[in-house]
Amino acid sequence: MERRVSTVDARGILFDLDGTLVDSLPDIIDSFLHGFAHLGLPAPAHAEVRALIGQPLDVMYSRFAPEHVDALCVAYREHYPRNFLNRSRAFPGVETVLRTLRERGYLLSVATTKRSDMARRFVDALGLGGLLHHVQGTDGFPHKPAPDVLHRALAAMGTRGLWMVGDTTLDLRAGQAAGLRTYAVTWGTHSHEELASATPDELQPDLERLLAHLPPLG
Ligand SMILES: [Mg+2]
């Protein structure tokens, strides 16, 4: 991927997707559990699955059925695209925040552990695609907390980054590793206490403080 170094000012704001921009955890859990039923395997509890969301699918399945990871991933990838909009919605205020930041001159990208093709379909289906400059998934390179997906998102937009926004400590550590300020939202996967352990710059129940940090660019 070409890195456009001519744009030297930092305008990049990166967002995790599931549990950060979108309340998608119920649909993900349903599809995750579908795999066990499909293969006739005993299923884990909802809470056990929820605690792992944000990690790659194969890592999540390996915690419960290491012998069946490949088949479970196939079943998930067949089920999820047909069911990912059953209950998933953007969190309140997300569209307004993205539109406002865009109007203020910032460059916005998703940086998710989902694969890029799936992330793009999901974002477009929820009507957020037109508000984002880029959607970066994790396609065969190290996942968060490694900063690779953040670096790729910023390179694709040709800017340096300012903030990483996420709902897990994986997002926060990835943001810190990429040299960004980190903003934790408490409406997703990890608890307030768990998020606090990663010492984000902001730990909030909404995105209002993000707007306060990011005035219109001149
Ligand atoms: Mg997340």
Side-chain angles (χ1 to χ4, degrees), residues 80-218:
Y80 185 64
R82 292 188 289 108
N83 293 279
F84 68 5
L85 293 178
N86 291 353
R87 285 180 280 170
S88 295
R89 299 289 181 270
F91 283 110
V94 160
E95 285 188 45
T96 302
V97 166
L98 294 180
R99 186 171 288 110
T100 301
L101 290 175
R102 200 181 161 95
E103 288 168 0
R104 289 180 181 180
Y106 296 96
L107 297 175
L108 314 179
S109 180
V110 159
T112 176
T113 301
K114 261 187 167 68
R115 299 194 318 202
S116 287
D117 57 347
M118 196 65 237
R120 169 53 77 179
R121 279 180 65 183
F122 188 47
V123 160
D124 287 344
L126 286 161
L128 298 177
L131 297 173
L132 295 158
H133 296 88
H134 185 65
V135 176
Q136 182 65 54
T138 301
D139 307 310
F141 50 80
H143 61 83
K144 293 179 275 189
D148 301 44
V149 66
L150 284 62
H151 289 312
R152 287 185 188 234
L154 293 169
M157 297 192 295
T159 189
R160 289 185 291 119
L162 293 170
W163 286 87
M164 173 67 198
V165 184
D167 71 309
T168 71
T169 56
L170 302 171
D171 300 312
L172 303 175
R173 293 202 195 96
Q176 289 158 353
L180 308 183
R181 300 177 80 186
T182 55
Y183 192 109
V185 289
T186 55
W187 57 30
T189 299
H190 280 174
S191 67
H192 188 285
E193 293 69 27
E194 205 163 3
L195 292 166
S197 74
T199 62
D201 295 286
E202 288 283 357
L203 177 51
Q204 299 291 337
D206 56 41
L207 292 169
E208 289 307 310
R209 287 287 300 160
L210 188 65
L211 290 180
H213 280 291
L214 295 168
L217 292 170

Side-chain angles (χ1 to χ4, degrees), residues 16-22 25 53-54 112 144 166-168 171 188-189:
D16 170 59
L17 182 57
D18 297 297
T20 297
L21 294 181
V22 180
L25 306 189
I53 292 179
T112 176
K144 293 179 275 189
D167 71 309
T168 71
D171 300 312
T189 299

